[in-house]
Structure formats: C-alpha cells, structure tokens
Amino acid sequence: LYSSAASDVYKRQVFMNIRVGSLVRRNLITIEKGVPVIEAVKLMASKNVGSVIITDGGRLFGIITERDVIRALASGGSILDPVERVGTVRNLVTVSEDDFISVAAEKMIKHGVRHLIVLNKDGRLFGVVSIRDILGERRILEALSKIY
C-alpha cells in the first residue's frame, strides 16, 4: 500500500487527469415538460438510466431522477403528475464537459446528488454524468484499489 502522502498524490493525479466529458457515453435521454412522470419512469427503465433531462421546446428545463420519483410518490404524488412538478427545475447543478471529475465528485457531495447535467463550452446541454459513470471508470477503480 502507498503511504498516506503518496496515496493523496496518486489520487489527485487520477482525479485531475480525467475530464467529465469523457465519461458521458450515452445518448442524451430527454422528456418534454408536461409529460406525466410515468413516461419518465418508463424511459429510465427501458434505457437503464437513473435520470432523464426535462426539456421545454428542446431546451434544458430540468432533470428528473429515480430518487425524485420515489420521494414524490412517498409524499402522495402521482405518476400522472407532470415531470416538472417532481423533478428539479430550479438551481440546477451542472458541470462543464471540460471540468475534471474531481469537480463533479465535489459537486455531487456538496449538493447531495447522484446525477449532474453536463454543459458544453457554449453552455449548451452535452449530457449527464452519474456517480455510477464515475465509479465505473476503470482508471478510478484502479486508483482506489491502490490507495486502499
């Protein structure tokens, strides 16, 4: 095992060399504002993802996640409610495709989220990165195995 100082250096090297954009591998999955939550759930299930971007006329409006759906249903919401009532549509947490994954990880921890909206250099929608995408990156798993 590495010494504590050496493991910190190694961890920083790995987390500072991988850009968020390289982890966005899936086609962008969107749903239009006003569509019932059940349709977002069906999309998540069929595409094996945990979130769907909410759009308004094709433009970024918000995000709905599995956790949003569970919380809404637990508090009496309906699967027929519009996605924007259940998902997050204000104070969206985003990262740039050029940010290092350390920035994404810090934002996930700070905001208590598992999915981040990724924007391109022009501030337009590029994709979504999830905690599963970060942990599924082979280089990260190798680095963590060497540290711990």
Side-chain angles (χ1 to χ4, degrees):
L1 291 176
Y2 291 100
S3 70
S4 179
S7 70
D8 286 346
V9 169
Y10 186 73
K11 185 170 30 174
R12 275 195 299 276
Q13 287 173 343
V14 171
F15 282 83
M16 294 303 290
N17 285 323
I18 302 172
R19 303 233 183 230
V20 171
S22 72
L23 299 181
V24 178
R25 294 190 179 97
R26 303 169 189 210
N27 291 334
L28 193 58
I29 300 166
T30 64
I31 195 161
E32 192 68 13
K33 176 180 142 185
V35 174
V37 168
I38 186 63
E39 297 304 320
V41 170
K42 288 177 183 178
L43 260 177
M44 285 186 246
S46 69
K47 302 294 185 181
N48 194 30
V49 296
S51 67
V52 177
I53 293 292
I54 303 169
T55 56
D56 183 8
R59 303 189 82 182
L60 175 62
F61 189 79
I63 186 169
I64 184 168
T65 69
E66 296 165 321
R67 288 171 75 188
D68 293 332
V69 174
I70 290 168
R71 286 182 182 139
L73 294 177
S75 65
S78 166
I79 58 173
L80 300 177
D81 288 339
V83 289
E84 68 271 17
R85 187 177 301 159
V86 172
T88 302
V89 296
R90 290 185 178 85
N91 303 317
L92 297 175
V93 184
T94 65
V95 289
S96 167
E97 66 177 314
D98 289 330
D99 283 339
F100 292 107
I101 60 166
S102 58
V103 172
E106 288 171 12
K107 285 187 176 189
M108 286 178 176
I109 292 166
K110 179 180 178 185
H111 297 281
V113 297
R114 297 178 187 174
H115 300 86
L116 294 174
I117 298 168
V118 182
L119 304 176
N120 68 14
K121 295 171 186 147
D122 299 324
R124 293 197 175 127
L125 188 56
F126 182 78
V128 173
V129 67
S130 71
I131 189 66
R132 179 172 49 175
D133 296 327
I134 292 173
L135 291 177
E137 177 63 29
R138 185 179 55 82
R139 293 173 286 179
I140 295 169
L141 291 178
E142 287 174 359
L144 291 173
S145 71
K146 290 177 183 176
I147 294 167
Y148 301 104

